[in-house]
Amino acid sequence: MPTMTDDDKAPVIRIVRKKVVAGGHHGGAWKVAYADFVTAMMAFFLVMWICGLSKPMKQAIAAYFRDPSGLSKTTKGGRNPLSGGNEAMISAGKPAPVIPLDGKNPAEVEKLLIKKFETVEKEIVKQLEQSPDFRGMRNNIEVHLTEEGLRVELIEKRGSVFFELGSATLKPRTVAVLSVIAHQLGKLNNPVVVEGHTDSRPLNGLNGYSNWELSTDRANAARHAMEEHGLRNGQVGAVRGYADRKLLKPEDPMHFSNRRVSILVPYSMKD
């Protein structure tokens, strides 16, 4: 039997090296929580900023997120008249900027512009309501602010009020109404867009004369009358005929109120 030596009785020493992970089991979890906090704060300040904007600006932002392509509808049901589409157009070129900033805060310029629009809107309504010459026509004229700008609409409520039936010939009282409108719009620095609209009733005119030509001719006739009675030279930015493509009452394409001339003074004019 072998004899044990002192070397055989020595204990065995094992060295175990453990990998130490900084931060323990939670590691980078704090980074995720911090990122969520920063995102929440950014969203909070964004909401606070939007709450402080004017109503037209809020509507414009909402319209952009609903339809970034720019084809959103106005508050009164018509599509954006500054967008593209199937339309006859007579363009007067690129207008100058609406209001120069001159170092002013954009928010102050926006408030100033809206205030001017509101003043013009009230003055147009006041003159139309006070003049006995326009008695019976007031209900055919709508003046309101939209997300695009100031819009004045001459709407055929019953029969043919503003034009001779089936033609672009203005009635005398229509010229008087357009004179009042032009006199007030001429005080603004903004360009003017004139639009013509018809209902969906086919127009069987000579030589293929259709609702496209009629809507454009009526808008152009309104443009001509306003330029003679108050609009500044070159203030008209565009004349457009939409035929029945932008109905006021799409649920009733034949309704007479779809026949109208719309005068838009936009907050800004895109190229």
Side-chain angles (χ1 to χ4, degrees):
M1 182 175 182
T3 304
M4 294 181 64
T5 64
D6 292 339
D7 293 336
D8 294 331
K9 297 179 180 179
V12 178
I13 300 175
R14 292 185 177 88
I15 300 175
V16 179
R17 292 184 174 87
K18 294 183 178 181
K19 185 176 181 181
V20 179
V21 179
H25 66 280
H26 53 277
W30 68 273
K31 298 178 182 178
V32 178
Y34 179 73
D36 290 342
F37 171 75
V38 172
T39 303
M41 290 300 295
M42 181 180 68
F44 171 76
F45 286 114
L46 182 61
V47 170
M48 295 299 293
W49 172 72
I50 293 176
C51 288
L53 295 177
S54 63
K55 185 176 180 180
M57 183 59 71
K58 290 179 184 177
Q59 292 174 336
I61 293 174
Y64 173 80
F65 282 103
R66 285 196 301 268
D67 186 1
S69 65
L71 297 176
S72 58
K73 294 185 178 182
T74 68
T75 56
K76 291 294 180 179
R79 288 186 179 179
N80 186 339
L82 299 181
S83 64
N86 294 325
E87 62 208 32
M89 177 187 294
I90 304 174
S91 177
K94 300 179 181 179
V98 175
I99 291 183
L101 293 180
D102 293 333
K104 295 181 181 179
N105 188 310
E108 295 178 359
V109 175
E110 176 195 346
K111 290 179 180 179
L112 176 63
L113 183 57
I114 294 174
K115 185 176 180 180
K116 286 185 176 182
F117 277 16
E118 290 175 344
T119 301
V120 169
E121 176 188 10
K122 293 177 181 177
E123 193 61 32
I124 291 175
V125 172
K126 177 182 176 182
Q127 291 191 32
L128 292 177
E129 289 179 343
Q130 290 182 347
S131 176
D133 296 335
F134 306 132
R135 191 168 297 159
M137 298 181 67
R138 178 63 188 91
N139 292 334
N140 296 73
I141 303 168
E142 293 186 3
V143 186
H144 47 261
L145 283 174
T146 71
E147 62 188 28
E148 300 162 299
L150 177 64
R151 184 176 287 274
V152 184
E153 293 194 298
L154 279 59
I155 304 172
E156 302 284 15
K157 295 292 176 95
R158 291 288 179 186
S160 185
V161 177
F162 299 105
F163 294 89
E164 297 296 339
L165 187 62
S167 77
T169 303
L170 293 167
K171 292 187 175 182
R173 285 204 302 172
T174 309
V175 177
V177 169
L178 291 172
S179 298
V180 171
I181 297 171
H183 179 71
Q184 294 300 322
L185 299 186
K187 299 176 181 179
L188 299 173
N189 294 328
N190 303 66
V192 172
V193 177
V194 188
E195 305 168 356
H197 303 268
T198 68
D199 56 25
S200 295
R201 188 173 287 102
L203 181 65
N204 298 319
L206 298 175
N207 300 321
Y209 192 82
S210 68
N211 284 331
W212 284 108
E213 287 78 19
L214 179 61
S215 62
T216 304
D217 289 346
R218 285 184 169 181
N220 201 35
R223 186 270 313 166
H224 182 73
M226 288 192 295
E227 286 185 334
E228 286 190 340
H229 296 90
L231 289 186
R232 303 188 318 276
N233 184 31
Q235 188 174 3
V236 175
V239 176
R240 297 168 176 170
Y242 287 101
D244 62 343
R245 299 306 174 92
K246 297 181 183 293
L247 297 171
L248 190 63
K249 290 184 177 295
E251 70 279 4
D252 189 0
M254 299 296 184
H255 199 272
F256 42 75
S257 64
N258 290 314
R259 305 195 302 266
R260 68 199 190 278
V261 167
S262 185
I263 304 159
L264 173 68
V265 186
Y267 294 115
S268 62
M269 187 76 173
K270 296 180 181 179
D271 293 343

Short mmCIF file of all heavy atoms in Angstrom, two decimals, residues 34-58:
data_model
loop_
_atom_site.label_atom_id
_atom_site.label_comp_id
_atom_site.label_asym_id
_atom_site.label_seq_id
_atom_site.Cartn_x
_atom_site.Cartn_y
_atom_site.Cartn_z
N TYR A 34 -36.15 57.42 -19.72
CA TYR A 34 -35.82 58.82 -19.96
C TYR A 34 -36.29 59.27 -21.34
O TYR A 34 -36.81 60.37 -21.51
CB TYR A 34 -34.31 59.03 -19.83
CG TYR A 34 -33.87 60.45 -20.09
CD1 TYR A 34 -34.12 61.44 -19.15
CD2 TYR A 34 -33.20 60.79 -21.26
CE1 TYR A 34 -33.73 62.75 -19.37
CE2 TYR A 34 -32.80 62.09 -21.50
CZ TYR A 34 -33.07 63.07 -20.54
OH TYR A 34 -32.68 64.36 -20.78
N ALA A 35 -36.13 58.39 -22.32
CA ALA A 35 -36.59 58.71 -23.67
C ALA A 35 -38.11 58.90 -23.70
O ALA A 35 -38.63 59.81 -24.35
CB ALA A 35 -36.17 57.61 -24.65
N ASP A 36 -38.85 58.04 -22.98
CA ASP A 36 -40.30 58.19 -22.90
C ASP A 36 -40.67 59.51 -22.24
O ASP A 36 -41.63 60.18 -22.65
CB ASP A 36 -40.91 57.03 -22.09
CG ASP A 36 -40.82 55.71 -22.85
OD1 ASP A 36 -40.62 55.75 -24.08
OD2 ASP A 36 -40.94 54.66 -22.20
N PHE A 37 -39.93 59.90 -21.22
CA PHE A 37 -40.20 61.16 -20.51
C PHE A 37 -39.98 62.35 -21.44
O PHE A 37 -40.81 63.28 -21.50
CB PHE A 37 -39.30 61.27 -19.29
CG PHE A 37 -39.35 62.61 -18.62
CD1 PHE A 37 -40.43 62.98 -17.84
CD2 PHE A 37 -38.31 63.52 -18.79
CE1 PHE A 37 -40.48 64.23 -17.23
CE2 PHE A 37 -38.35 64.77 -18.19
CZ PHE A 37 -39.44 65.12 -17.40
N VAL A 38 -38.89 62.35 -22.19
CA VAL A 38 -38.58 63.45 -23.10
C VAL A 38 -39.65 63.54 -24.20
O VAL A 38 -40.11 64.63 -24.57
CB VAL A 38 -37.19 63.26 -23.72
CG1 VAL A 38 -36.94 64.28 -24.82
CG2 VAL A 38 -36.11 63.39 -22.64
N THR A 39 -40.08 62.37 -24.72
CA THR A 39 -41.12 62.36 -25.75
C THR A 39 -42.43 62.93 -25.21
O THR A 39 -43.12 63.71 -25.89
CB THR A 39 -41.35 60.93 -26.25
OG1 THR A 39 -40.12 60.40 -26.75
CG2 THR A 39 -42.39 60.89 -27.37
N ALA A 40 -42.78 62.54 -23.98
CA ALA A 40 -44.01 63.04 -23.37
C ALA A 40 -43.95 64.55 -23.17
O ALA A 40 -44.94 65.27 -23.41
CB ALA A 40 -44.27 62.34 -22.04
N MET A 41 -42.80 65.07 -22.76
CA MET A 41 -42.66 66.51 -22.55
C MET A 41 -42.75 67.26 -23.87
O MET A 41 -43.36 68.33 -23.96
CB MET A 41 -41.31 66.80 -21.87
CG MET A 41 -41.24 66.34 -20.43
SD MET A 41 -42.50 67.13 -19.39
CE MET A 41 -41.97 68.83 -19.45
N MET A 42 -42.17 66.69 -24.92
CA MET A 42 -42.24 67.33 -26.23
C MET A 42 -43.69 67.39 -26.71
O MET A 42 -44.14 68.41 -27.23
CB MET A 42 -41.39 66.54 -27.24
CG MET A 42 -41.37 67.17 -28.64
SD MET A 42 -40.38 66.22 -29.80
CE MET A 42 -41.36 64.73 -29.93
N ALA A 43 -44.42 66.28 -26.53
CA ALA A 43 -45.83 66.26 -26.92
C ALA A 43 -46.63 67.28 -26.11
O ALA A 43 -47.52 67.96 -26.64
CB ALA A 43 -46.41 64.86 -26.73
N PHE A 44 -46.32 67.41 -24.83
CA PHE A 44 -47.03 68.35 -23.97
C PHE A 44 -46.83 69.78 -24.45
O PHE A 44 -47.79 70.55 -24.59
CB PHE A 44 -46.54 68.20 -22.53
CG PHE A 44 -47.04 69.27 -21.60
CD1 PHE A 44 -48.35 69.26 -21.15
CD2 PHE A 44 -46.20 70.30 -21.19
CE1 PHE A 44 -48.82 70.26 -20.30
CE2 PHE A 44 -46.66 71.29 -20.35
CZ PHE A 44 -47.97 71.27 -19.90
N PHE A 45 -45.59 70.17 -24.72
CA PHE A 45 -45.31 71.53 -25.16
C PHE A 45 -45.89 71.79 -26.55
O PHE A 45 -46.30 72.92 -26.86
CB PHE A 45 -43.81 71.81 -25.15
CG PHE A 45 -43.25 72.00 -23.77
CD1 PHE A 45 -42.35 71.10 -23.23
CD2 PHE A 45 -43.66 73.08 -22.98
CE1 PHE A 45 -41.85 71.28 -21.95
CE2 PHE A 45 -43.16 73.26 -21.70
CZ PHE A 45 -42.25 72.36 -21.18
N LEU A 46 -45.96 70.76 -27.40
CA LEU A 46 -46.56 70.90 -28.72
C LEU A 46 -48.06 71.19 -28.58
O LEU A 46 -48.61 72.07 -29.27
CB LEU A 46 -46.34 69.64 -29.54
CG LEU A 46 -46.88 69.65 -30.98
CD1 LEU A 46 -46.23 70.76 -31.79
CD2 LEU A 46 -46.65 68.31 -31.66
N VAL A 47 -48.72 70.45 -27.68
CA VAL A 47 -50.15 70.69 -27.45
C VAL A 47 -50.39 72.09 -26.90
O VAL A 47 -51.32 72.80 -27.30
CB VAL A 47 -50.72 69.63 -26.48
CG1 VAL A 47 -52.13 69.99 -26.04
CG2 VAL A 47 -50.73 68.25 -27.15
N MET A 48 -49.54 72.53 -25.96
CA MET A 48 -49.68 73.86 -25.39
C MET A 48 -49.49 74.93 -26.46
O MET A 48 -50.19 75.96 -26.47
CB MET A 48 -48.66 74.05 -24.27
CG MET A 48 -48.88 73.15 -23.07
SD MET A 48 -50.49 73.43 -22.27
CE MET A 48 -50.25 75.07 -21.62
N TRP A 49 -48.57 74.70 -27.38
CA TRP A 49 -48.33 75.67 -28.47
C TRP A 49 -49.54 75.76 -29.39
O TRP A 49 -49.98 76.84 -29.77
CB TRP A 49 -47.09 75.26 -29.25
CG TRP A 49 -46.87 76.07 -30.49
CD1 TRP A 49 -46.46 77.37 -30.57
CD2 TRP A 49 -47.07 75.64 -31.84
NE1 TRP A 49 -46.39 77.76 -31.89
CE2 TRP A 49 -46.75 76.73 -32.68
CE3 TRP A 49 -47.47 74.43 -32.42
CZ2 TRP A 49 -46.83 76.65 -34.06
CZ3 TRP A 49 -47.54 74.35 -33.79
CH2 TRP A 49 -47.23 75.45 -34.60
N ILE A 50 -50.12 74.60 -29.74
CA ILE A 50 -51.28 74.59 -30.62
C ILE A 50 -52.47 75.27 -29.96
O ILE A 50 -53.23 75.99 -30.61
CB ILE A 50 -51.63 73.14 -31.03
CG1 ILE A 50 -50.51 72.56 -31.92
CG2 ILE A 50 -52.97 73.07 -31.74
CD1 ILE A 50 -50.71 71.11 -32.29
N CYS A 51 -52.63 75.05 -28.65
CA CYS A 51 -53.76 75.67 -27.93
C CYS A 51 -53.68 77.19 -27.96
O CYS A 51 -54.70 77.88 -27.87
CB CYS A 51 -53.79 75.19 -26.48
SG CYS A 51 -54.30 73.46 -26.30
N GLY A 52 -52.49 77.73 -28.12
CA GLY A 52 -52.32 79.18 -28.14
C GLY A 52 -52.48 79.81 -29.49
O GLY A 52 -52.41 81.03 -29.63
N LEU A 53 -52.69 79.00 -30.54
CA LEU A 53 -52.82 79.53 -31.90
C LEU A 53 -54.24 80.05 -32.14
O LEU A 53 -55.17 79.72 -31.42
CB LEU A 53 -52.49 78.45 -32.92
CG LEU A 53 -51.05 77.93 -32.92
CD1 LEU A 53 -50.90 76.81 -33.94
CD2 LEU A 53 -50.06 79.04 -33.23
N SER A 54 -54.38 80.84 -33.19
CA SER A 54 -55.69 81.35 -33.57
C SER A 54 -56.51 80.24 -34.21
O SER A 54 -55.97 79.22 -34.66
CB SER A 54 -55.54 82.51 -34.55
OG SER A 54 -54.93 82.06 -35.75
N LYS A 55 -57.82 80.45 -34.28
CA LYS A 55 -58.72 79.44 -34.82
C LYS A 55 -58.41 79.09 -36.27
O LYS A 55 -58.35 77.91 -36.64
CB LYS A 55 -60.17 79.90 -34.67
CG LYS A 55 -61.18 78.84 -35.11
CD LYS A 55 -62.60 79.31 -34.86
CE LYS A 55 -63.61 78.26 -35.31
NZ LYS A 55 -65.00 78.70 -35.08
N PRO A 56 -58.19 80.09 -37.17
CA PRO A 56 -57.87 79.75 -38.56
C PRO A 56 -56.59 78.92 -38.69
O PRO A 56 -56.51 78.02 -39.52
CB PRO A 56 -57.72 81.12 -39.24
CG PRO A 56 -58.55 82.03 -38.40
CD PRO A 56 -58.38 81.54 -37.00
N MET A 57 -55.58 79.23 -37.83
CA MET A 57 -54.34 78.47 -37.89
C MET A 57 -54.56 77.04 -37.42
O MET A 57 -54.01 76.10 -37.99
CB MET A 57 -53.27 79.16 -37.04
CG MET A 57 -51.91 78.46 -37.11
SD MET A 57 -51.24 78.37 -38.78
CE MET A 57 -50.83 80.09 -39.07
N LYS A 58 -55.38 76.86 -36.38
CA LYS A 58 -55.70 75.50 -35.91
C LYS A 58 -56.39 74.71 -37.01
O LYS A 58 -56.10 73.54 -37.23
CB LYS A 58 -56.59 75.58 -34.68
CG LYS A 58 -55.91 76.11 -33.42
CD LYS A 58 -56.91 76.17 -32.28
CE LYS A 58 -56.29 76.78 -31.03
NZ LYS A 58 -57.28 76.90 -29.93
#
